[in-house]
Amino acid sequence: MATSYKELGLVNTREIFKKAMAGRYAIPAYNFNNMEQLQAIITACIETNSPVILQVSKGARKYANQILLRHMAKGALEIIEDAGSKIPVTLHLDHGDTYELAVSCIETGFSSVMIDGSAHKFEDNANLTKKVVDYAHKYDVTVEGELGVLAGIEDEVSHGESHYTHPEEVEDFVSRTGVDSLAISIGTSHGAYKFKIKPGESFPELRFDILREVEKRLPGFPIVLHGSSSVLKEYVELINKYGGELEQTAGVPEDQLRKAAQSAVCKINIDTDGRLVVTAKVREVFATNPKEFDPRKYLGPARTELIKMYKHKNEYVLGSAGKA
Ligand code: G3H
Ligand code: 13P
Ligand code: ZN
């Protein structure tokens, strides 16, 4: 039976993006697959009074089960209410790749969906995106499209090469499809291996020139940045200290994300940093207390550290703290 997101108490992205655009900040879009991640995200967002987009990939939906996910989102809203908080919460499909998946998510309570047609040619991407928009808008669900390709090494998001967005295509794409927001490619990529920086080298700048050109062509239109983890050094070091073998790597510097958040970028996607935090803390507990076998004793510290990291993002990177 179909469930409307409105019955669950979720919101679509329309109003939150309007406020983010006017207030020159970005809404955090944090991926979750399990209870501890969800608890950490909502705790951090309640404590910083930040709006939040709870993001679920196709792989996460398969992992966590769509029925359980819906109840988890409902539970999160009850916890927020119980805490006396009124932060707006969006449940969003991340990187939906088919019309059928988007429809299924809308039917099971998602308030926002991404249709990622970036692997297709412009024409096919536009047609697929429009088809999803036409269905989603009947239920007041908002849709994110994508133009340009991000390189990625995630389970389900895997393009070998990235291609920057062509600004001259964005007006046509948005007017033909009716999308509510657009993900663009300006130099970020998915996963933990974004930039190889040699000692003494500085980080490459994101292509802010492309972003500015897109803003000029689509005034006041919400833009989305994927692949926006900073690949936080302290957690990479902790992982390797306790037996991990991550290569030397770097993510998007926080000052560049802060700069992006002050522009038309209204949504910033972060998954990898959360994965690194959990892995680092679990490894630390296993290495320092090898007799431990109670999952609460290693997932608990991971959750505590996640809360700290998400609060930091809201307060100092995205600027969403205090904006709920
Ligand atoms: O951008 C992709 C997200 O990090 C989700 O990754 O497909 O491995 O769940 P996933
Ligand atoms: P990261 O891999 O940089 O965290 O990006 C996540 C993302 O874009 C989810 O859609
Ligand atoms: Zn992404």
Side-chain angles (χ1 to χ4, degrees):
M1 204 181 73
T3 308
S4 160
Y5 73 85
K6 293 184 183 177
E7 287 163 30
L8 299 177
L10 296 160
V11 298
N12 67 25
T13 56
R14 212 164 280 129
E15 283 307 308
I16 56 172
F17 282 172
K18 210 184 279 174
K19 284 179 71 179
M21 181 78 73
R24 293 164 55 81
Y25 59 91
I27 315 281
Y30 297 134
N31 291 67
F32 79 100
N33 305 263
N34 65 28
M35 182 187 78
E36 284 79 7
Q37 287 172 314
L38 180 60
Q39 288 174 318
I41 295 167
I42 60 168
T43 303
C45 291
I46 291 170
E47 289 182 6
T48 55
N49 197 32
S50 168
V52 65
I53 297 174
L54 299 173
Q55 206 157 246
V56 175
S57 71
K58 182 178 165 182
R61 195 166 180 256
K62 201 158 85 191
Y63 178 80
N65 183 300
Q66 64 187 57
I67 299 167
L68 186 55
L69 271 177
R70 181 171 75 237
H71 289 283
M72 284 169 82
K74 194 163 181 278
L77 290 165
E78 282 184 34
I79 290 169
I80 291 165
E81 195 184 349
D82 197 49
S85 166
K86 292 196 175 349
I87 59 167
V89 180
T90 297
L91 183 62
H92 175 81
L93 167 66
D94 189 26
H95 293 283
D97 57 353
T98 61
Y99 172 77
E100 291 72 23
L101 176 60
V103 167
S104 169
C105 285
I106 293 166
E107 283 179 346
T108 52
F110 282 61
S111 56
S112 173
V113 291
M114 174 188 195
I115 181 72
D116 179 357
S118 65
H120 303 294
K121 292 206 163 62
F122 181 91
E123 204 58 31
D124 296 339
N125 183 359
N127 290 340
L128 173 63
T129 305
K130 181 172 171 16
K131 195 171 164 195
V132 171
V133 169
D134 287 347
Y135 180 84
H137 282 184
K138 280 197 263 183
Y139 301 95
D140 205 19
V141 168
T142 41
V143 180
E144 173 185 326
E146 177 164 337
L147 264 186
V149 180
L150 270 76
I153 54 153
E154 307 287 341
D155 293 350
E156 306 275 347
V157 183
S158 52
H159 302 292
E161 267 181 73
S162 68
H163 306 282
Y164 297 126
T165 303
H166 300 297
E168 61 279 12
E169 290 181 348
V170 297
E171 291 141 295
D172 191 24
F173 188 80
V174 166
S175 67
R176 275 172 58 172
T177 58
V179 273
D180 303 281
S181 62
L182 186 66
I184 62 169
S185 174
I186 59 166
T188 63
S189 60
H190 290 111
Y193 299 105
K194 300 190 195 300
F195 308 111
K196 289 223 173 229
I197 307 285
K198 296 198 192 89
E201 266 181 14
S202 56
F203 294 96
E205 266 272 313
L206 295 179
R207 291 290 303 271
F208 284 101
D209 56 322
I210 298 178
L211 174 59
R212 274 194 296 274
E213 189 57 33
V214 169
E215 280 181 300
K216 221 187 282 167
R217 288 168 182 265
L218 296 173
F221 191 80
I223 300 301
V224 177
L225 272 197
H226 284 247
S228 296
S229 281
S230 295
V231 191
L232 300 161
K233 206 167 175 274
E234 62 196 281
Y235 300 110
V236 173
E237 284 174 359
L238 208 55
I239 289 171
N240 287 345
K241 177 176 172 190
Y242 290 116
E245 292 187 0
L246 296 185
E247 288 166 32
Q248 193 61 36
T249 178
V252 186
E254 292 187 336
D255 58 337
Q256 294 196 36
L257 293 169
R258 209 173 299 130
K259 182 173 160 189
Q262 288 164 0
S263 71
V265 170
C266 291
K267 172 175 179 272
I268 290 189
N269 287 12
I270 295 169
D271 187 5
T272 296
D273 280 340
R275 296 178 179 193
L276 293 172
V277 167
V278 172
T279 305
K281 293 314 277 187
V282 169
R283 275 193 178 277
E284 185 180 40
V285 175
F286 284 166
T288 55
N289 193 354
K291 290 197 169 56
E292 189 54 71
F293 63 92
D294 179 346
R296 293 171 297 185
K297 299 285 169 50
Y298 49 87
L299 295 177
R303 184 176 61 190
T304 304
E305 195 68 22
L306 272 178
I307 296 171
K308 201 174 110 192
M309 189 273 289
Y310 290 132
K311 285 175 78 167
H312 169 80
K313 300 267 183 203
N314 294 351
E315 282 166 350
Y316 302 106
V317 186
L318 311 190
S320 63
K323 307 291 188 185

